[in-house]
Amino acid sequence: VKNSLLQTDPITILPFGDISDEVINHIAAIVGRKFERRVAVNPRTPLPPGPYNSARGQYNGSLLLKDLRGIRDGSSGKLLAVIDVDIFSPGFNFVFGQAILDGCCGVISLTRLREGIDEPGGEARFYSRVEKEAVHELGHIFGLRHCSTPKCVMYFSSNLADTDRKSADFCEECGVMNAA
Ligand SMILES: [Zn+2]
Ligand SMILES: [Zn+2]
């Protein structure tokens, strides 16, 4: 998949598989504001079968990132894929997302973020989680590491409680790096 938007737009959101426009547009609006960059949305692209691990019933995040690097192929933009399958990463049973530090690409998974979506306030909470995880992975792409401040968006979420506790904002320290 080649898309001319990748050549000119600093952040591209890629719906990988059947992701709703509402979610994609929400992410695009949020990250455009947070990172003060133009955001392009690529057409939906079918999930590649290669990174699927049938024994685990999950996608291998590292292999997905490799595919994303190929899709981005030489453009200078940053690419964030959004998928709706569970991802694992070596050493972790699952991850909410994965990215190449100071690199080209990242991915977030909606699957686990949806937990409790039918509860009162569940949909707003789902969108808030999506927002935090998208900003978090883009933070990595722009060179930020994990932060020890639980409220900071760069805090590592090992479960949904971590995600729900943190904000969608960078702490002062991470924000300074982000602005650089
Ligand atoms: Zn992280
Ligand atoms: Zn921080």
Side-chain angles (χ1 to χ4, degrees), residues 136-137 140 146 154 156:
H136 180 97
E137 296 309 333
H140 284 318
H146 285 147
M154 293 314 296
F156 173 69

Side-chain angles (χ1 to χ4, degrees), residues 79-137:
L79 183 62
L80 181 72
V82 182
I83 70 176
D84 199 357
V85 290
D86 203 26
I87 321 173
F88 74 94
S89 161
F92 295 96
N93 290 334
F94 72 90
V95 288
F96 295 120
Q98 198 172 330
I100 301 170
L101 185 69
D102 205 8
C104 62
C105 313
V107 58
I108 63 165
S109 165
L110 304 181
T111 308
R112 289 179 188 257
L113 304 181
R114 201 178 280 114
E115 191 182 305
I117 198 169
D118 294 328
E119 296 165 9
E123 189 164 357
R125 188 177 56 186
F126 165 71
Y127 275 95
S128 159
R129 289 169 177 167
V130 170
E131 179 178 330
K132 293 168 189 176
E133 295 307 326
V135 172
H136 180 97
E137 296 309 333

Side-chain angles (χ1 to χ4, degrees), residues 146-149 152-155 170-175:
H146 285 147
C147 177
S148 58
T149 303
C152 177
V153 73
M154 293 314 296
Y155 189 82
F170 298 102
C171 73
E172 216 166 292
E173 212 171 307
C174 294

Side-chain angles (χ1 to χ4, degrees), residues 153-165:
V153 73
M154 293 314 296
Y155 189 82
F156 173 69
S157 294
S158 58
N159 52 52
L160 286 173
D162 289 336
T163 305
D164 291 339
R165 190 187 319 109

Side-chain angles (χ1 to χ4, degrees), residues 46-54 59 63 67:
L47 259 177
Y52 185 67
N53 182 314
S54 55
Y59 271 72
L63 293 182
D67 283 348

